[in-house]
Amino acid sequence: MKLIDGKKIASEILDSLTHKIEQFPRKIGLAFLLVGENQASLAYVRMKKKACSRIGIQSIVKEYPADTSQEELLKEISQLNLDPQIDGILVQLPLPAHFDTLRVTRSIAPEKDVDGFHPINMGKLLLGEADGFLPCTPHGIQQLLAHTLPIEGKHVVIVGRSNIVGKPLAVLLSQKKKGANATVTLAHSQSKNLSEITQTADILIAAIGQPRFIKKEMVRPGCVVIDVGINRVQNEEKLVGDVDFDAVAPIASWITPVPGGVGPMTIAMLMQNTLESATRRG
Ligand code: GUN
C-alpha cells in the first residue's frame, strides 16, 4: 500500500499559484460568508483563510449569527457581486435550516462562484464547457488521481451522490478528456448489493459521510481508494474518514489518508479558481 499525499501535492500547487499571484497586477480578493457557529465550518473557513494568506490572496470573512434572515444574506451577496475588489464569493455550507441553500447559491454571480455550485457552473461542467468553475472537491480528487495513475478506461465506483461531491465527480471523471475518460458507477444509499458493486472498482471513492462505512470486504485487493469523508466520532480524538482505513489500507494499492488526502486538494482548487476568476475579470 502507498499513501497518496494530498497535503504535498496541494502544497506544490499552492507554491505554483503563489508565483502567479505575485505577478498579478492587482490584489485578488476572496470573501467568505459564514452563518452560525457550526464548528466544522469554522475550522474549514480558518484553513481556507490560511491558504489565502500563504499565497497572497486577500480574504475577508463575514460572520453572521445563526438567526440571520435569508433576505439579509442575499443583500450581502448582491453587494459582493458588485464589489470590484472581490473576485470570489464563498458561502460556507451547510446553512442553518431556515435557508434555501439553492436560492442562496443561485444569488452568487456565476463569474465569482469559485465554489462552482451555481447552476450555471454545474451546467457548464455537465456540458463540458471550459469557461465555468469546477467544484473544488471533485476537481481536487481528479487532480489527485491524475497525479497518481492513468485513469483512462478504469472503472471508478463513487459511493455517495451529493451535489457537492458524488454527482459532479461522476460527470468530471467520465468526461472525454485527458485525465478523465473513466467508466463511472455512481452508487448510493439505495444501491442494491453495494458490496458487489464496490468490489468491481479499480478506483473506489467514498463520499458518503459515514465513518468507516467502507469495510475491507467491500474492496478488491489492489484497488485505489479515495476517502472524501471527514467525520468526528464521539470519544475519538482523531478525524475519521468514510473508509475503515486500518483494515482497507493493507489491501489497497493506493489510499488517501484522513486528514491530509482530499481536504488540502479542495483548498488548493479553491485558490486556483480564485486566481482564475481574477484573471478572467482582469
Ligand atoms: N461544505 C462542505 N464542503 C464545502 C465546500 O467545498 N464549499 C462550501 N462553501 N461549503 C462546503
Side-chain angles (χ1 to χ4, degrees):
M1 175 275 292
K2 287 180 272 188
L3 275 185
I4 303 179
D5 191 345
K7 201 172 162 194
K8 178 159 170 267
I9 299 169
S11 187
E12 288 165 5
I13 294 170
L14 291 182
D15 285 343
S16 77
L17 294 177
T18 307
H19 185 65
K20 291 179 189 150
I21 289 166
E22 273 168 7
Q23 298 184 333
F24 199 73
R26 62 170 174 85
K27 277 284 175 198
I28 298 174
L30 174 55
F32 297 99
L33 287 83
L34 187 54
V35 187
E37 293 186 7
N38 181 312
Q39 290 306 306
S41 290
L42 285 164
Y44 294 144
V45 169
R46 213 180 303 126
M47 288 189 276
K48 292 171 186 176
K49 208 175 159 246
K50 206 170 131 196
C52 285
S53 65
R54 168 171 165 182
I55 69 172
I57 289 177
Q58 274 193 332
S59 65
I60 55 166
V61 180
K62 294 182 163 250
E63 293 186 53
Y64 306 91
D67 63 358
T68 300
S69 72
Q70 174 150 304
E71 291 319 304
E72 176 72 13
L73 188 66
L74 292 177
K75 209 174 83 193
E76 297 284 346
I77 292 170
S78 65
Q79 282 172 7
L80 291 166
N81 282 342
L82 297 171
D83 186 338
Q85 299 193 38
I86 295 297
D87 297 288
I89 302 168
L90 183 152
V91 177
Q92 186 65 32
L93 303 180
L95 287 167
H98 65 280
F99 284 90
D100 176 349
T101 300
L102 188 57
R103 172 103 196 272
V104 172
T105 309
R106 274 177 181 281
S107 77
I108 297 170
E111 62 276 14
K112 293 189 179 184
D113 170 40
V114 287
D115 251 336
F117 293 167
H118 192 286
I120 292 260
N121 287 315
M122 284 288 177
K124 286 186 173 183
L125 165 61
L126 187 60
L127 296 170
E129 293 182 19
D131 64 342
F133 289 109
L134 294 175
C136 304
T137 301
H139 193 200
I141 293 167
Q142 188 262 336
Q143 291 287 303
L144 267 190
L145 288 170
H147 257 84
T148 307
L149 78 165
I151 65 173
E152 281 75 11
K154 298 275 165 65
H155 185 205
V156 177
V157 175
I158 301 167
V159 189
R161 56 181 155 182
S162 70
N163 286 336
I164 292 184
V165 184
K167 236 190 276 179
L169 182 60
V171 172
L172 192 58
L173 296 182
S174 55
Q175 267 179 339
K176 192 169 186 170
K177 204 171 169 184
K178 200 161 164 268
N181 280 316
T183 304
V184 176
T185 299
L186 185 55
H188 49 74
S189 55
Q190 303 301 307
S191 295
K192 278 187 188 158
N193 308 322
L194 182 61
S195 198
E196 282 171 30
I197 297 168
T198 57
Q199 276 168 5
T200 66
D202 299 311
I203 299 167
L204 178 61
I205 303 177
I208 315 123
Q210 291 190 42
R212 301 192 180 101
F213 182 87
I214 300 293
K215 308 287 183 208
K216 183 183 168 198
E217 298 69 39
M218 302 170 79
V219 182
R220 187 182 57 78
C223 186
V224 175
V225 180
I226 306 290
D227 192 346
V228 190
I230 304 176
N231 307 289
R232 280 226 167 267
V233 177
Q234 243 187 357
N235 300 326
E236 285 190 53
E237 208 176 302
K238 290 187 181 163
L239 291 169
V240 177
D242 289 353
V243 176
D244 185 356
F245 185 90
D246 292 344
V248 171
I251 63 164
S253 60
W254 291 93
I255 189 165
T256 59
V258 175
V262 174
M265 290 299 289
T266 295
I267 296 179
M269 294 301 105
L270 174 67
M271 298 298 112
Q272 192 170 297
N273 277 352
T274 306
L275 172 59
E276 177 64 26
S277 170
T279 306
R280 287 178 192 166
R281 283 163 33 75

